[in-house]
Amino acid sequence: MAECTTLESLLEMGFSRNRAEKAVAHTGNQGIERAMDWLMEHENDPDIDEPYVPPAGNVVGGGTDQQSAAQPPLEPSEPSESTEHDMEAMMQEGEGDGKQAMTEEERIAQVKRLEELMRVKQEERRERERKDEVEREKQRRKQGQELLQIKSKLQDDEMKKLADQRRKEKMEDRLAKQRVRDKIARDREERAQKFGGGNASGTGISSPPPEATSPTPSDNQGPPPAKKDYDECRIQVRMLDGSALTATFKAQEPLAAVRVYIQMNGGSDQDFGLLSPYPRRVYTELDMEKPLRELGLVPSAVLVVTKK
């Protein structure tokens, strides 16, 4: 059965002439299957429907046309005997081709066969695309899971770092409070050893000495004038809740020692201030570094705790 050319077969299958000519040219006219493969691979090209422009010396068609196109042009004047012989041979070949033309039934059968071949190839292509899509989806999910694991690990590391920092801060705060307690304990022991332990008890609260004079409210009237050189100072502190603390300090100790004592025995960590009720005086941060003697709190005084 005579076969039609690749270009005619593609045109019979419904492809446009531009696409058919490009497929035949790019596959070197090696058959309908090669041309169909090329069309399916390049069907989404932006210039697929543009007219095909063959390069110089290349014409889409049969082998006879290509050979004749590849031959250099002859001078129009004085045709040679060989040229006339070639033209007669081409005419005879054309007449022979016309005798081998396909019948309508053969052409329809060949078109159906080619359409079935194209359908099979399209199915194979869709199957390949489906498998590629499944593989890409697997890769995407795998990358997403790896990204989630990395984020989770970073969050865990950050939480551990914050927890370690908080534990370190708590430990440093605990050690600082312990150093203050140890300092107060050493001061009490030194006062107990120097004065026989009468004014520095284990609880840090000493009872006021008996008053030999008349029971006047001297403690509430502020610090009395010093008549002699006292080495100690008895301080009574009125807390915010109405309770009172009484302790004895050295006259040369700063007012900050009284504040530390209140912080350790007052049961509250909030910031506070100190003042003398009479004569009224509010003590500042600069006063905290001054000795009790310089502030006029010797030999005894009453201080009131205030909120800041």
Side-chain angles (χ1 to χ4, degrees), residues 26-47:
H26 286 287
T27 57
N29 198 13
Q30 296 181 3
I32 186 66
E33 294 187 7
R34 287 287 189 88
M36 290 170 59
D37 291 339
W38 188 92
L39 285 171
M40 285 187 290
E41 291 177 359
H42 297 82
E43 63 180 355
N44 295 324
D45 291 353
D47 59 345

Side-chain angles (χ1 to χ4, degrees), residues 2-130:
E3 298 288 338
C4 62
T5 64
T6 302
L7 180 60
E8 293 174 351
S9 300
L10 293 175
L11 294 176
E12 290 290 340
M13 294 173 65
F15 292 102
S16 65
R17 175 168 291 275
N18 293 335
R19 294 194 179 196
E21 289 179 352
K22 286 184 177 181
V24 173
H26 286 287
T27 57
N29 198 13
Q30 296 181 3
I32 186 66
E33 294 187 7
R34 287 287 189 88
M36 290 170 59
D37 291 339
W38 188 92
L39 285 171
M40 285 187 290
E41 291 177 359
H42 297 82
E43 63 180 355
N44 295 324
D45 291 353
D47 59 345
I48 188 65
D49 291 319
E50 295 182 2
Y52 174 70
V53 179
N58 185 17
V59 178
V60 178
T64 304
D65 296 338
Q66 292 178 356
Q67 292 176 1
S68 61
Q71 294 176 357
L74 298 177
E75 295 294 334
S77 61
E78 297 182 359
S80 62
E81 295 180 358
S82 59
T83 304
E84 293 178 355
H85 180 72
D86 292 340
M87 292 178 65
E88 291 178 359
M90 291 174 63
M91 292 176 64
Q92 292 176 1
E93 185 178 355
E95 292 177 357
D97 293 341
K99 293 178 182 180
Q100 294 179 0
M102 297 175 59
T103 62
E104 184 66 20
E105 292 79 5
E106 291 174 344
R107 186 182 62 80
I108 294 175
Q110 187 175 11
V111 169
K112 288 183 178 180
R113 181 176 63 83
L114 294 176
E115 289 178 350
E116 180 65 20
L117 179 61
M118 186 176 67
R119 186 186 63 80
V120 172
K121 289 185 175 296
Q122 288 177 347
E123 289 292 335
E124 292 177 354
R125 180 184 178 185
R126 283 194 289 269
E127 182 66 19
R128 288 196 303 269
E129 291 177 350
R130 186 186 65 81

Side-chain angles (χ1 to χ4, degrees), residues 18-239:
N18 293 335
R19 294 194 179 196
E21 289 179 352
K22 286 184 177 181
V24 173
H26 286 287
T27 57
N29 198 13
Q30 296 181 3
I32 186 66
E33 294 187 7
R34 287 287 189 88
M36 290 170 59
D37 291 339
W38 188 92
L39 285 171
M40 285 187 290
E41 291 177 359
H42 297 82
E43 63 180 355
N44 295 324
D45 291 353
D47 59 345
I48 188 65
D49 291 319
E50 295 182 2
Y52 174 70
V53 179
N58 185 17
V59 178
V60 178
T64 304
D65 296 338
Q66 292 178 356
Q67 292 176 1
S68 61
Q71 294 176 357
L74 298 177
E75 295 294 334
S77 61
E78 297 182 359
S80 62
E81 295 180 358
S82 59
T83 304
E84 293 178 355
H85 180 72
D86 292 340
M87 292 178 65
E88 291 178 359
M90 291 174 63
M91 292 176 64
Q92 292 176 1
E93 185 178 355
E95 292 177 357
D97 293 341
K99 293 178 182 180
Q100 294 179 0
M102 297 175 59
T103 62
E104 184 66 20
E105 292 79 5
E106 291 174 344
R107 186 182 62 80
I108 294 175
Q110 187 175 11
V111 169
K112 288 183 178 180
R113 181 176 63 83
L114 294 176
E115 289 178 350
E116 180 65 20
L117 179 61
M118 186 176 67
R119 186 186 63 80
V120 172
K121 289 185 175 296
Q122 288 177 347
E123 289 292 335
E124 292 177 354
R125 180 184 178 185
R126 283 194 289 269
E127 182 66 19
R128 288 196 303 269
E129 291 177 350
R130 186 186 65 81
K131 291 182 179 179
D132 293 342
E133 182 65 25
V134 171
E135 187 65 25
R136 286 194 296 269
E137 182 66 19
K138 289 181 180 179
Q139 292 294 332
R140 187 185 64 81
R141 292 183 179 180
K142 182 179 179 181
Q143 292 175 358
Q145 291 176 356
E146 292 177 353
L147 183 60
L148 289 177
Q149 291 177 358
I150 292 174
K151 288 183 178 180
S152 178
K153 186 177 183 303
L154 291 176
Q155 291 178 355
D156 293 341
D157 294 342
E158 187 67 21
M159 293 298 295
K160 290 179 181 179
K161 187 184 297 183
L162 290 176
D164 293 340
Q165 183 177 358
R166 290 176 181 175
R167 283 195 294 268
K168 184 178 179 181
E169 291 175 354
K170 289 182 179 179
M171 180 62 68
E172 291 176 354
D173 186 53
R174 191 180 299 113
L175 292 175
K177 290 183 178 180
Q178 185 63 37
R179 286 193 294 269
V180 174
R181 293 191 186 98
D182 294 342
K183 183 178 183 303
I184 293 175
R186 288 194 299 270
D187 292 341
R188 290 174 182 170
E189 291 178 359
E190 291 176 0
R191 289 197 296 268
Q193 292 175 2
K194 184 176 182 180
F195 301 102
N199 293 327
S201 61
T203 60
I205 302 176
S206 60
S207 59
E211 295 289 341
T213 59
S214 60
T216 59
S218 60
D219 291 342
N220 296 331
Q221 301 300 324
K227 296 181 180 180
K228 62 179 182 178
D229 189 11
Y230 293 95
D231 293 333
E232 291 185 347
C233 175
R234 184 175 64 86
I235 301 295
Q236 183 179 5
V237 182
R238 295 179 182 177
M239 304 299 293

